[in-house]
Amino acid sequence: MYKKLFAIMFALMLAMGMTACGSSNDSEAVNNFDAAIDMDFAKEVAETISTFGDDPVMGMRSAGSPAEKETIDYLEGVMNEIGLQNVTVDPITVDGWTFKGANVTFTNAAGEEQKIDLGGYQTTLVAKDEQVELVYVNEGTAADYEGIDVTGKLVLLDVDQNENWWINYPAYQAKVKGAKAVIAHSIFAEEGDDRVGVQDVCGPADAPALAISNQDKNALIDAIEANGGKPITVTLNCDSQVTLDATSHNIWGEIPGTTDETIFVFSHVDGYFHSQYDDAQGVSVSLAIAKALIDSGYEADKTIRFCFHGAEEWGVSGSEYDWSAGAYEEIMTEHPEWVNGAFAIVNNDGGYTVEGETCSGVNSSVELQAFVEESLNENADNTKYEWSIGGPSTGTEDFMWQRMGIPAIVAGEGDGEIYFASCYHSTYDSWDAVPLDEEGYRELIYTYGKFAIDLDELDVRPMSFTARIQDFEESLTDASEFRALLDEAYTAAEALEAKMAEVESGDDKAAAVELNKQTQAVYKALQDAWFGLDLINVDAYVKHGMYQDNLENLDATIAALEAGNVAEAYDEYLWAIDWAWYDMCFDKETTEYMKKQLFENREGTWGEGLIQFPHADTWDICQSLGEKYDAENPDVSAEIAALKEIRDQQQGYLDKVYADEKAGLEKAIKLMNEAAK
């Protein structure tokens, strides 16, 4: 049934697009906007922002730091100069981090004195010409410390944050072992021997971590080998300080419209290293859009508000949800009234146009994906990219706004690999290290400016609830118990979308505004009912997904153990159950801290309330099966019994989540039927 309804819905959405945004590629407004794009201005903005940094060597403009404030002051002048109105700087309270530099000096393998400059993570470590021993511990797992005393020492290690784990695990493991601090080499997919990379720390300030390039890491390892494999002494200098309840800033300005509705355009001002792409380019794209709209004489129907956030990369110490703090504060503390009349978000944090890239993408609310596709298709003959469309993510600052009922369109990489494989959050995030594709840069400005214009030319928010319901249905392992409710939901969505098309084709703006309020309530109800997290990547995930996955992997683990295949159970299935991968690699104190962190210090963050139940407790099982991994015909009956208990627990969690999801869907159906009248 749903396929037929989806076809009907898409035809309706297409009709809405043809009457409203479908012809905008040929519209005078888009053509004038295109002609007014000022690339020299855009490049100047990005280049200027990239010069602001608290460390003369590494850069860094971080939450609550002098460099972040310097960027805000610069943007205030630019925004006023190009003609944005009501330009406002809002101080916000977040945790702050200022990194003024770090280095170690040592005698290298050739017997010469060598100095290495280091990057930093959001932790506190202050040292002045301090003599410290340094040891290398491979990846810094619990097993890597066997037979090694690191008390008071610097620990050098490798971390692969894409394939293995975040920096917080080896950093906290080092703290547990008594180390002074970690110096981590971050592994990237693409080679870059002199590159230094970091991520948000997602851990406490008192588990200090610094960052080092591969070539400098190897120089330290060579010195250790030249010293007979014994620790070497280095001279440490560091000024990295976390300040709780510091002051960061958001800044915004607008092109006023004639209605009470608002389109938001986002970027963030903070960044790692000099971050000429992430997100100096994003800021420049947003400002170039604003300038081209103003210079072209664009008359906005809805207010177009340009928001530039501080503390996006990090802003909450000791939290798993330590990013997007500035945007959270803006919508939850400073301007909660903005939810009313919020039409949509266009977020320019992403889509970085590096030389050689042939792919780009848009990550949008599922409900807006048909609109996004139609808008992109209108430029299909002129694009240099292969575009793809994905779903929402916790990784950008619009996530909390989506939770509040405001749909978003977000710049992304699509199937592109170059930026994230080579320069994301690293010293390579610069146009010198990884050259800019100016043609793609201009297309990005055009594409996301066009999204804003296309949205503004619509009276009714172009949302497909049928697509969202279908997305939910496809996430269910077995949709049979939802069948009747899903059919009812498809019928309600069809009726609502017909009403939306009818109002869009008319000329009653008051009716459109009222209908938009109603569809926002539907969207918010679905967010409340269905948004959850993937516990490994802490990314957006339908709520039941983690429990369905756990049950599948628990059943496979138990079956493999019952068949006597311990290695298969351990390597193929057990590791994928909730926290088991970390339980296999780190000691219990470390994993228990990280588990608690998911529930503690999340109030006042975008992660509040997204995880309801505790993790599956697999640490003892992982340890015992690890010990029996190579044994011949081991007795694993105790482990099987424990896994079956966990399975019963997870089934109970899934049943409760299903019940909550059904209740949320029932609420959304009621709201859709009321709106369709």
Side-chain angles (χ1 to χ4, degrees):
M1 180 180 180
Y2 72 82
K3 290 183 178 178
K4 178 182 177 182
L5 291 178
F6 182 72
I8 293 171
M9 175 282 306
F10 188 79
L12 289 167
M13 295 300 295
L14 187 59
M16 290 174 64
M18 292 299 289
T19 58
C21 77
S23 60
S24 67
N25 192 42
D26 299 322
S27 76
E28 184 179 358
V30 170
N31 290 336
N32 290 343
F33 164 77
D34 187 16
I37 293 174
D38 186 342
M39 293 305 300
D40 289 336
F41 167 79
K43 287 189 289 184
E44 181 182 352
V45 169
E47 288 170 344
T48 301
I49 291 174
S50 70
T51 66
F52 300 137
D54 293 305
D55 176 14
V57 178
M58 293 291 175
M60 301 291 193
R61 52 180 189 274
S62 308
S65 71
E68 187 191 57
K69 183 58 168 65
E70 188 176 11
T71 308
I72 291 289
D73 292 343
Y74 164 73
L75 291 178
E76 184 176 16
V78 172
M79 292 167 71
N80 280 306
E81 182 179 339
I82 66 174
L84 284 170
Q85 298 186 35
N86 305 320
V87 175
T88 303
V89 176
D90 287 327
I92 55 172
T93 300
V94 300
D95 293 336
W97 177 51
T98 300
F99 181 80
K100 294 184 178 179
N103 60 73
V104 292
T105 304
F106 66 107
T107 301
N108 64 25
E112 300 170 343
E113 183 175 273
Q114 181 175 341
K115 178 184 175 183
I116 293 174
D117 290 307
L118 304 170
Y121 292 86
Q122 299 91 346
T123 56
T124 294
L125 181 64
V126 178
K128 177 68 173 176
D129 294 331
E130 189 171 335
Q131 303 293 301
V132 190
E133 285 191 330
L134 179 142
V135 297
Y136 177 60
V137 295
N138 192 26
E139 294 181 313
T141 67
D144 289 326
Y145 285 94
E146 290 181 7
I148 301 175
D149 179 14
V150 298
T151 305
K153 298 180 175 65
L154 293 174
V155 167
L156 181 67
L157 56 83
D158 296 283
V159 60
D160 188 337
Q161 296 182 120
N162 288 318
E163 299 296 329
N164 288 340
W165 40 71
W166 220 239
I167 183 63
N168 50 3
Y169 292 92
Y172 199 85
Q173 184 70 73
K175 170 184 164 65
V176 169
K177 297 296 183 181
K180 182 177 182 65
V182 156
I183 300 178
H185 161 238
S186 186
I187 296 171
F188 282 73
E190 293 291 330
E191 293 183 3
D193 218 35
D194 61 341
R195 175 184 49 219
V196 181
V198 299
Q199 295 288 0
D200 61 304
V201 75
C202 288
D206 63 353
L210 299 169
I212 192 169
S213 71
N214 187 52
Q215 67 181 18
D216 289 336
K217 177 206 73 174
N218 287 335
L220 289 169
I221 292 174
D222 289 345
I224 292 171
E225 291 176 351
N227 195 39
K230 295 181 293 185
I232 61 171
T233 298
V234 303
T235 301
L236 172 68
N237 287 283
C238 183
D239 190 349
S240 174
Q241 299 190 55
V242 169
T243 304
L244 303 184
D245 298 326
T247 300
S248 180
H249 299 83
N250 295 323
I251 183 170
W252 56 273
E254 57 194 20
I255 300 173
T258 59
T259 74
D260 292 333
E261 295 185 310
T262 305
I263 296 166
F264 295 89
V265 180
F266 282 3
S267 307
H268 66 85
V269 305
D270 58 328
Y272 294 106
F273 304 100
H274 294 289
S275 53
Q276 201 157 3
Y277 288 105
D278 183 14
D279 194 30
Q281 178 186 295
V283 173
S284 72
V285 167
S286 292
L287 285 176
I289 291 170
K291 185 175 187 295
L293 289 173
I294 293 167
D295 290 351
S296 68
Y298 183 75
E299 295 182 1
D301 182 44
K302 304 165 189 65
T303 292
I304 304 177
R305 184 170 295 138
F306 294 81
C307 300
F308 303 94
H309 298 124
E312 191 275 345
E313 300 290 7
W314 179 89
V316 187
S317 186
S319 175
E320 192 70 38
Y321 320 97
D322 60 7
W323 65 97
S324 296
Y328 177 94
E329 290 298 321
E330 185 166 57
I331 196 62
M332 300 300 290
T333 304
E334 295 299 317
H335 296 289
E337 74 279 5
W338 284 358
V339 172
N340 299 321
F343 195 79
I345 297 163
V346 177
N347 186 355
N348 290 308
D349 179 15
Y352 303 117
T353 52
V354 300
E355 193 173 272
E357 185 57 81
T358 60
C359 298
S360 194
V362 182
N363 299 319
S364 88
S365 305
V366 174
E367 291 86 344
L368 289 181
Q369 288 178 1
F371 163 83
V372 168
E373 183 175 13
E374 180 68 14
S375 184
L376 288 173
N377 283 344
E378 290 163 1
N379 197 47
D381 293 337
N382 302 313
T383 182
K384 70 170 295 173
Y385 291 120
E386 180 180 343
W387 288 87
S388 58
I389 302 172
S393 168
T394 64
T396 51
E397 66 242 63
D398 52 89
F399 183 75
M400 190 66 210
W401 295 53
Q402 290 194 59
R403 288 191 67 186
M404 296 304 295
I406 310 170
I409 297 169
V410 187
E413 311 310 307
D415 295 325
E417 298 178 354
I418 296 177
Y419 176 75
F420 281 103
S422 61
C423 54
Y424 179 57
H425 289 181
S426 79
T427 49
Y428 277 25
D429 191 333
S430 76
W431 295 352
D432 289 333
V434 181
L436 173 72
D437 181 339
E438 293 198 27
E439 183 184 354
Y441 188 18
R442 192 187 192 286
E443 182 175 343
L444 204 70
I445 296 168
Y446 171 82
T447 299
Y448 287 85
K450 182 177 179 299
F451 283 145
I453 294 172
D454 288 350
L455 287 166
D456 191 44
E457 290 185 346
L458 289 168
D459 290 333
V460 177
R461 188 186 294 107
M463 302 185 76
S464 167
F465 295 108
T466 300
R468 181 68 179 279
I469 297 163
Q470 183 179 18
D471 185 72
F472 176 79
E473 179 174 1
E474 291 173 350
S475 73
L476 293 164
T477 301
D478 180 2
S480 59
E481 67 174 283
F482 280 81
R483 184 71 270 151
L485 196 58
L486 285 168
D487 288 345
E488 187 179 350
Y490 283 124
T491 301
E494 180 185 11
L496 175 55
E497 286 153 9
K499 175 69 174 292
M500 293 163 68
E502 176 188 344
V503 174
E504 180 61 42
S505 64
D507 193 30
D508 189 341
K509 286 189 178 293
V513 169
E514 181 59 32
L515 185 58
N516 288 335
K517 292 177 182 177
Q518 293 174 304
T519 59
Q520 185 178 51
V522 175
Y523 180 64
K524 175 70 162 57
L526 293 176
Q527 304 299 77
D528 292 344
W530 292 348
F531 252 165
L533 292 180
D534 167 4
L535 297 189
I536 298 297
N537 299 312
V538 199
D539 206 351
Y541 206 48
V542 67
K543 283 182 180 177
H544 60 250
M546 68 183 81
Y547 305 108
Q548 288 184 166
D549 291 348
N550 280 345
L551 288 169
E552 180 180 345
N553 285 300
L554 281 161
D555 287 341
T557 304
I558 292 167
L561 290 176
E562 288 177 337
N565 299 322
V566 176
E568 178 187 348
Y570 191 88
D571 292 337
E572 299 295 328
Y573 312 116
L574 176 61
W575 73 270
I577 300 167
D578 268 1
W579 217 257
W581 170 238
Y582 306 118
D583 287 338
M584 291 174 175
C585 299
F586 298 96
D587 66 23
K588 194 162 190 174
E589 184 174 350
T590 297
T591 59
E592 286 300 313
Y593 176 86
M594 295 304 166
K595 291 173 188 177
K596 290 178 182 177
Q597 188 176 256
L598 275 177
F599 292 90
E600 297 175 357
N601 203 16
R602 62 176 176 163
E603 184 178 354
T605 75
W606 57 263
E608 185 173 350
L610 286 179
I611 299 176
Q612 185 174 359
F613 301 111
H615 299 77
D617 186 1
T618 59
W619 197 85
D620 289 335
I621 297 170
C622 289
Q623 300 304 308
S624 62
L625 287 180
E627 293 170 359
K628 297 174 182 179
Y629 186 93
D630 294 319
E632 186 174 348
N633 298 321
D635 179 6
V636 292
S637 57
E639 290 84 355
I640 291 172
L643 286 165
K644 287 181 176 179
E645 288 185 9
I646 292 173
R647 194 204 181 286
D648 291 342
Q649 177 193 65
Q650 293 293 307
Q651 184 65 60
Y653 293 162
L654 180 60
D655 292 343
K656 178 65 168 63
V657 168
Y658 277 164
D660 291 344
E661 289 176 340
K662 288 176 183 177
L665 183 54
E666 288 171 349
K667 177 179 179 180
I669 290 169
K670 180 180 179 182
L671 291 170
M672 284 190 285
N673 286 330
E674 290 173 352
K677 291 178 182 177

